[in-house]
Amino acid sequence: MLFAEAPAHVPADRIVDFDIFNPPGVEQDYFAAWEALATPDGPGIVWTRANGGHWIATRGALVRDLWADNRRLSSEVLAVTPGLGDVMRFIPLQQDPPEHQSYRNAVMKGFASRHIVAMEPKVRAVARELIAGLAPRGGCEFMADFAEILPLHIFLTLIDVPLEDRPRLRALGAQLTRPDGTMTVEQLRDAADDYLAPYIAQRMAHPGDDLFSRILAEPVAGRPWTLDEARRMCRNLLFGGLDTVVAAVGMAALHLARHADDQAALRADPALIPDAADELMRRYPTVSVSRNVVEDMAVDGVALKRGDIVYLPGILHNLDAASFDAPHEVRFDRRLNAARHTTMGAGAHRCVGAGLARMEMIVFLEEWLADIPPFRLDAAAPVRMKGGNVGACTHLPLRWD
Ligand code: HEM
């Protein structure tokens, strides 16, 4: 790792060498690796010289406030991963207000809660089918055998494409969630676009009742979507709704495998599951975002200059004791207002798929606990994790009797 020299406006006592893609110890524990950066008496924001140099907010309230500051911080460039933003040009993720609003409104209509409710039986059928294949095996590598497949199948169901497409999108999904370095970002984008192109064209010409049709039927800025905009939006949904769900479902399974008491509580009273889903999502945040400073600002006693990049790790908000009481404890009766934690973001870009993701998590927990007997970590094989903009388990071996 090459370390860039810090610019003159960064005080020396704020400089660290922290690689967000590979923090020390991340393979064993993604959360501990990040929390090592945030000491209770330490600064609220630091500058890392890794990955070209950027700020990282480390205090919970600051992470949240900066995330919601869509005026002084821009989403346009998807900063820390060089070139990614130019290649993807996601809509609405890379748009700033006010342009962002009209596109986001259209996407939000596609995810309206009545549609989420209507999708639930299909999501349940997909989950049941996958679980039925695993239950007799006495164990599985949860990430590859379940977590990485579920959201992919759900996505196909949402956009109403034939299930025969599964293997093709599966290969693409594997590159999205577990890139092996054989594809560049451009190739990945092109593969996604090639896959989506016929469906986008068809839905624009003959709208159906699927997610793409519903969104593309909504005008943007008072006119129909252009083909280029439609591609960028559909790409955003594909890339936004796979590895995030993979990571979240993996963390929920990891927690339950480690906590037989919580498993037992949910089996005994499945009515607890919706609150448990919210609490597990809070306790195990996996998404971090970057922003570009577009207006000089003073934060935590330091100057952030136009052009600086700021990295915002949800983990350091949700696991900050000043933000949540006993944040490391999973308490199913926390009665969270889900919008208070940053697992799904904050401000203008808060996840449009939050309702769908929550439903997927609830259905997963209900179906998994109904069909799989009490399960535990496989003592013979270690859990492995990875860092990055979406942190996740890469290996989660489970056993059951
Ligand atoms: C547990 C699963 C998920 C997590 C943790 C998650 C997390 C997030 C976060 C943190 C953001 C804010 C990004 C930012 O501020 O720059 C976001 C935005 C977004 N998410 Fe999700 N997401 C999940 C599931 C989904 C799903 C299932 C979809 C769609 C199929 C989706 C589509 C999007 C889109 C389109 C945006 C951009 C919204 C905007 O810019 O206005 N996400 N998500």
Side-chain angles (χ1 to χ4, degrees), residues 67 75 91-94 100 104 107 111 155 158 211 236-238 240-242 244-245 248 281 286-287 289-291 342-346 348-354 356-357 360:
W67 208 321
S75 294
I91 287 180
L93 187 73
Q94 284 178 252
H100 169 254
R104 180 175 166 98
V107 176
F111 284 97
F155 189 80
L158 292 186
L211 180 66
N236 195 165
L237 295 188
L238 176 63
L242 293 188
T244 49
V245 179
M281 303 251 267
T286 52
V287 178
V289 298
S290 44
R291 297 285 194 259
T342 34
T343 300
M344 311 309 282
H349 290 277
R350 190 171 185 279
C351 183
V352 290
L356 170 63
E360 291 184 36

Side-chain angles (χ1 to χ4, degrees), residues 168-356:
R168 182 163 169 220
L169 197 57
R170 174 90 187 91
L172 184 61
Q175 287 293 338
L176 291 182
T177 49
R178 212 188 274 242
D180 63 5
T182 57
M183 283 173 97
T184 63
V185 226
E186 284 87 351
Q187 287 168 332
L188 202 54
R189 176 207 54 198
D190 293 345
D193 282 1
D194 288 350
Y195 174 77
L196 294 171
Y199 299 110
I200 296 174
Q202 194 197 24
R203 306 295 191 268
M204 288 180 91
H206 309 286
D209 188 34
D210 58 283
L211 180 66
F212 283 179
S213 294
R214 283 199 301 269
I215 297 173
L216 294 169
E218 291 295 326
V220 282
R223 54 159 177 82
W225 291 78
T226 66
L227 185 58
D228 178 59
E229 289 167 346
R231 282 210 186 107
R232 292 161 61 193
M233 182 277 293
C234 294
R235 198 189 286 157
N236 195 165
L237 295 188
L238 176 63
F239 283 77
L242 293 188
D243 57 345
T244 49
V245 179
V246 172
V249 168
M251 292 304 172
L254 173 66
H255 176 86
L256 293 178
R258 282 179 171 159
H259 296 88
D261 50 339
D262 282 345
Q263 251 188 77
L266 298 183
R267 288 178 198 279
D269 184 4
L272 293 175
I273 287 179
D275 283 342
D278 291 338
E279 171 64 347
L280 289 168
M281 303 251 267
R282 177 205 63 82
R283 170 61 184 82
Y284 298 100
T286 52
V287 178
S288 308
V289 298
S290 44
R291 297 285 194 259
N292 272 63
V293 177
V294 287
E295 190 183 305
D296 290 0
M297 58 201 289
V299 164
D300 189 47
V302 295
L304 273 53
K305 297 274 187 203
R306 195 181 149 85
D308 286 357
I309 295 169
V310 187
Y311 201 67
L312 305 171
I315 193 171
L316 297 186
H317 172 242
N318 289 5
L319 296 183
D320 183 342
S323 303
F324 295 92
D325 187 30
H328 295 89
E329 280 177 28
V330 166
R331 297 180 182 164
F332 295 155
D333 60 353
R334 226 179 249 274
R335 300 263 179 269
L336 281 171
N337 168 3
R340 260 193 69 220
H341 65 68
T342 34
T343 300
M344 311 309 282
H349 290 277
R350 190 171 185 279
C351 183
V352 290
L356 170 63

Side-chain angles (χ1 to χ4, degrees), residues 19-34 383-388 391-392:
D19 177 3
I20 56 144
F21 296 106
N22 198 14
V26 70
E27 275 219 344
Q28 287 71 42
D29 189 337
Y30 164 79
F31 299 93
W34 265 101
V383 174
R384 286 269 172 258
M385 300 192 189
K386 67 166 173 105

Side-chain angles (χ1 to χ4, degrees), residues 115-126 359 362-363 366:
H115 297 309
I116 305 290
V117 172
M119 285 173 208
E120 201 211 271
K122 292 182 186 169
V123 170
R124 198 173 289 282
V126 169
M359 184 263 276
I362 292 172
V363 168
E366 288 174 350

